[in-house]
Amino acid sequence: MPAIAQIFAAVAAALHVVIFVMESLLWSKPAVWQRFGVATAADADVVRPMAFNQGFYNLFLAVGIVVGLIVGGAAGDAIVVFACLSIVGAAVVLATGGSKYFRAAFTQGITPLIALVLAAVL
């Protein structure tokens, strides 16, 4: 995998670690749950278990990219591609939720998509 594709994949991993931190570790802060469109503290408490779980999904995808980059070679590239495809797929699913989710879907999906395109064409 070309170095530039690896850089975009690493950026995607870093973003997903940040999302993990917000969803799984900092969810109790109003600024965090409001960022995810949750309107009240009561709603945030209801959503907390789902956000906690979702945060770990994001962490595992990030770990997949990092492990793939460390392993390297064909096996490592396959892991990175799988994790990036998973993130892009999740972004597409998020976008199907309506226009209010387009920005978040774009933010999540653009760097792994760029990594995949660069890996395919370079």
Side-chain angles (χ1 to χ4, degrees):
M1 177 175 285
I4 189 70
Q6 292 177 339
I7 290 167
F8 277 97
V11 170
L15 173 63
H16 281 74
V17 169
V18 170
I19 295 170
F20 157 75
V21 169
M22 290 189 299
E23 290 175 334
S24 296
L25 304 178
L26 301 177
W27 187 258
S28 62
K29 295 179 182 274
V32 173
W33 49 259
Q34 288 170 349
R35 174 174 225 126
F36 287 89
V38 177
T40 68
D43 290 344
D45 288 341
V46 170
V47 175
R48 179 188 312 264
M50 190 257 338
F52 184 77
N53 186 35
Q54 188 170 299
F56 274 89
Y57 273 90
N58 286 303
L59 177 63
F60 298 148
L61 289 168
V63 168
I65 291 171
V66 171
V67 167
L69 292 172
I70 291 169
V71 168
D77 290 352
I79 296 167
V80 172
V81 167
F82 177 79
C84 285
L85 283 171
S86 296
I87 294 170
V88 171
V92 169
V93 170
L94 180 60
T96 66
S99 61
K100 69 180 184 178
Y101 297 108
F102 288 174
R103 181 176 176 184
F106 179 83
T107 300
Q108 288 182 59
I110 192 64
T111 53
L113 179 61
I114 292 170
L116 291 168
V117 170
L118 290 171
V121 300
L122 296 180

